[in-house]
Amino acid sequence: MKKETLGQVLKQRRGAYAYTQRELAKKLGVKASHVAYLENGRRRPSLSLLSRIAETLELDKRRLFLLAHPEAQWIVGERREASPTQRREDSWRRFAGDRGTLARHKVTEQELRVLKNVNMLGRVSRPNQYLFILNAIRQAVDEE
């Protein structure tokens, strides 16, 4: 499934209105080259330009904002629910990449390999759960 981009939406909607890039640019008060840059994903529009685009092409401002600034999804609560596989991979990446936590808890390379295998079981959805699992493993090994 291909991720929708601002450029795709603009190009499709511009086509639906049968506007050329030059015609749309004139309505927006920008150069045609700027419209081309937006459609090709080489530029991000300012907030005022986003507003004018939404009004001109009758698009939802919130949707356009999130397409232009996908990193803001967590701020406005628009983060799509990730699949269990994606959550598991994100959780692992965040845990394994957190050098501070790994150092603070003295996680060894061997322990990381074990935890990576635990990740493959598909039940770990939050990074802090790896520390719980690691402590349980350490405790079990110490008791032997």
Side-chain angles (χ1 to χ4, degrees):
M1 186 166 135
K2 195 170 186 182
K3 192 173 181 179
E4 183 179 52
T5 66
L6 176 66
Q8 291 169 340
V9 170
L10 291 179
K11 191 172 190 173
Q12 184 272 329
R13 194 61 166 216
R14 179 176 59 78
Y17 278 85
Y19 292 151
T20 64
Q21 287 181 342
R22 183 168 290 172
E23 290 170 331
L24 179 58
K26 187 174 182 180
K27 291 180 181 298
L28 297 174
V30 297
K31 293 181 179 181
S33 61
H34 194 67
V35 171
Y37 284 142
L38 294 172
E39 288 183 357
N40 292 319
R42 295 179 65 196
R43 297 273 193 283
R44 282 204 250 187
S46 66
L47 294 178
S48 61
L49 180 55
L50 264 179
S51 183
R52 293 193 312 269
I53 291 169
E55 290 169 11
T56 303
L57 298 177
E58 297 180 15
L59 291 166
D60 180 62
K61 288 180 184 180
R62 182 184 180 110
R63 178 176 172 226
L64 284 183
F65 174 75
L66 291 173
L67 286 172
H69 301 279
E71 70 278 6
Q73 289 179 346
W74 68 273
I75 293 172
V76 294
E78 283 291 320
R79 186 173 173 114
R80 272 182 282 131
E81 189 60 33
S83 69
T85 302
Q86 186 63 44
R87 274 195 308 270
R88 186 173 72 237
E89 290 305 315
D90 287 348
S91 173
W92 172 250
R93 267 194 291 277
R94 288 196 337 252
F95 176 75
D98 187 347
R99 299 285 179 217
T101 296
L102 296 176
R104 190 169 40 257
H105 293 277
K106 297 179 176 81
V107 180
T108 67
E109 287 297 319
Q110 183 180 7
E111 289 171 331
L112 265 180
R113 284 193 299 274
V114 169
L115 290 173
K116 186 173 185 176
N117 288 328
V118 168
N119 175 55
M120 292 177 169
L121 295 173
R123 301 285 184 201
V124 183
S125 60
R126 292 192 320 257
N128 64 345
Q129 291 174 335
Y130 288 104
L131 291 174
F132 178 81
I133 293 166
L134 177 60
N135 286 329
I137 292 170
R138 285 175 173 172
Q139 194 173 33
V141 171
D142 286 343
E143 289 177 2
E144 289 181 359

